[in-house]
Amino acid sequence: MNTLYYIGLDIHKRIIAYCIKVIDGRLVAQGKIAADRKTLGEWVKGLPGPWIGAMEATIFTGWVYDFLKPHAVALKVAHPEMLKAITAAKKKNDRADAEKIADLLRVNLLPECHMLSEELRDLRRILRYRNHLVRTAVKMQNKMSGLLMEVGVPYSKKRLHGKKYFHELLEGVEEIPSSVKGLLQLSRSGYEMFRSFQKRLIAVLREESLIRDRVEHLMSIPGVGELTALTWVLEIGDPKRFPSIRDAVSYCGLCSAQRESAGKEQRGPISKKRNKHLQTMLIEAAKIAPQWNKQLSCLHEKELKNGNRNRATLAVARKLVAYMMAVDRNQTFFKQPAETQAA
């Protein structure tokens, strides 16, 4: 019977520290290699037998995970914050970190986090980059507004993003200094470039057959638009990995932190241990969804009676999570409850 080896990997930009152990904790090998595909491929060929590997989730994890997965019996990724809490120690270096990961792996105590498929991670990268471009375009638009206000030029904020209005504004106002005109034109060209790129990225996501059906099902929920559906699909991955709606709500960062001791419970502000991309999108969607969904509108009005608008928005966001979990798990279109249809 072949011996199964347990390998802990501590990944950095230039080096990868590794530690190889067997089930009884005996150290087989330890060292460092260069963090490139050629060196990693030669290292894999020299391993003594079948192996299970684990690594911490970092910005470098994706390509290493994809490269090593075909060669491993199993490959796991550890949650960085939980891993830090478990392995806190006075002595910390790359080799020690790799050994701790190997030890947690062999005793089945590794705080594992979910790893999306390579295809979904590629699409998620496109969506996140699109969101980055949108934020940059908004900054450019705000910069144009700021420059116009600095020189005392009246303008329409709602029309400033229009190409025709912008050029008419520059040509029709003589008191704008030439230096400011140059900065405005530069800001405008950057704004248009970012806008065109983000539209192209959304077009790429729309044509992807891997997620098209799921997005269409989610968009059948009144109040859920294309971007909300895309964000949900590419950030959640497989909805069945959440045992309950409560777990999904927690993952989305829509609940407060809980501290309980000696029978006393305290609730803090919204937890920062969340998927920030989903949290942002769901809160934005919850602000306008009641306009399109009667159930969400009733819920929003009910929570508003308590006098807290933020709580009302969070309640709507949690209900959206419940709707999307139900639709995404069952892969069906949304059906309005009977009492809502009758009304």
Side-chain angles (χ1 to χ4, degrees), residues 21-88:
K21 289 192 172 185
V22 289
I23 191 63
D24 60 4
R26 180 167 47 87
L27 182 65
V28 176
Q30 196 173 26
K32 295 180 181 180
I33 57 173
D36 59 73
R37 287 177 172 81
K38 182 180 178 181
T39 306
L40 200 57
E42 294 172 354
W43 174 78
V44 168
K45 292 177 183 177
L47 292 177
W51 57 281
I52 297 176
M55 64 192 75
E56 184 180 357
T58 67
I59 192 173
F60 316 109
T61 299
W63 76 266
V64 177
Y65 180 88
D66 295 333
F67 185 86
L68 292 178
K69 191 175 180 182
H71 305 282
V73 174
L75 197 58
K76 300 181 180 182
V77 178
H79 192 290
E81 189 170 354
M82 296 175 68
L83 187 66
K84 188 183 295 183
I86 294 172
T87 61

Side-chain angles (χ1 to χ4, degrees), residues 42 92 120 178 222 332:
E42 294 172 354
K92 187 183 186 305
L120 284 180
S178 58
T332 57

Side-chain angles (χ1 to χ4, degrees), residues 43-263:
W43 174 78
V44 168
K45 292 177 183 177
L47 292 177
W51 57 281
I52 297 176
M55 64 192 75
E56 184 180 357
T58 67
I59 192 173
F60 316 109
T61 299
W63 76 266
V64 177
Y65 180 88
D66 295 333
F67 185 86
L68 292 178
K69 191 175 180 182
H71 305 282
V73 174
L75 197 58
K76 300 181 180 182
V77 178
H79 192 290
E81 189 170 354
M82 296 175 68
L83 187 66
K84 188 183 295 183
I86 294 172
T87 61
K90 186 175 181 180
K91 180 182 178 182
K92 187 183 186 305
N93 55 57
D94 295 340
R95 291 192 177 189
D97 289 347
E99 185 172 359
K100 288 170 185 174
I101 293 173
D103 285 332
L104 290 172
L105 178 64
R106 68 182 179 82
V107 298
N108 199 26
L109 289 176
L110 189 79
E112 190 175 356
C113 64
H114 182 70
M115 196 71 175
L116 292 178
S117 66
E118 186 177 0
E119 294 82 4
L120 284 180
R121 276 188 281 121
D122 286 341
L123 294 174
R124 184 181 65 181
R125 188 181 299 113
I126 293 173
L127 180 64
R128 289 183 178 180
Y129 194 76
R130 175 262 168 199
N131 294 338
H132 169 72
L133 291 179
V134 170
R135 290 192 296 269
T136 306
V138 170
K139 287 180 181 178
M140 286 294 182
Q141 190 173 1
N142 292 339
K143 190 61 183 175
M144 287 188 286
S145 299
L147 288 169
L148 290 169
M149 286 188 283
E150 283 181 17
V151 294
V153 175
Y155 66 94
S156 171
K157 186 177 180 180
K158 292 182 179 179
R159 298 177 61 194
L160 187 60
H161 66 277
K163 186 184 292 186
K164 182 179 178 182
Y165 175 80
F166 179 80
H167 290 300
E168 289 176 353
L169 185 67
L170 286 187
E171 293 172 1
V173 182
E174 297 180 356
E175 59 267 23
I176 300 180
S178 58
S179 61
V180 175
K181 279 190 176 182
L183 293 174
L184 284 168
Q185 289 171 346
L186 181 63
S187 299
R188 179 68 199 187
S189 62
Y191 171 78
E192 290 179 358
M193 180 184 67
F194 291 130
R195 290 274 293 177
S196 63
F197 279 157
Q198 73 96 3
K199 288 179 180 178
R200 274 189 243 167
L201 293 177
I202 284 295
V204 170
L205 292 172
R206 282 175 182 160
E207 295 171 2
E208 183 53 56
S209 59
L210 182 65
I211 59 173
R212 189 182 301 142
D213 289 343
R214 290 179 65 187
V215 170
E216 288 177 358
H217 290 148
L218 290 167
M219 287 178 64
S220 67
I221 304 171
V224 174
E226 184 179 38
L227 285 175
T228 304
L230 280 170
T231 304
W232 174 269
V233 170
L234 297 177
E235 296 291 343
I236 285 288
D238 183 6
K240 294 180 181 178
R241 67 188 178 98
F242 295 101
S244 66
I245 292 173
R246 194 171 183 176
D247 292 315
V249 167
S250 177
Y251 180 78
C252 296
L254 301 176
C255 60
S256 58
Q258 179 185 17
R259 293 179 179 86
E260 184 179 354
S261 179

Side-chain angles (χ1 to χ4, degrees), residues 268-285:
I270 291 295
S271 175
K272 292 188 180 297
K273 298 177 181 179
R274 84 292 191 208
N275 184 310
K276 64 179 181 179
H277 304 281
L278 261 178
Q279 184 191 56
T280 301
M281 185 59 68
L282 285 168
I283 289 177
E284 288 179 358

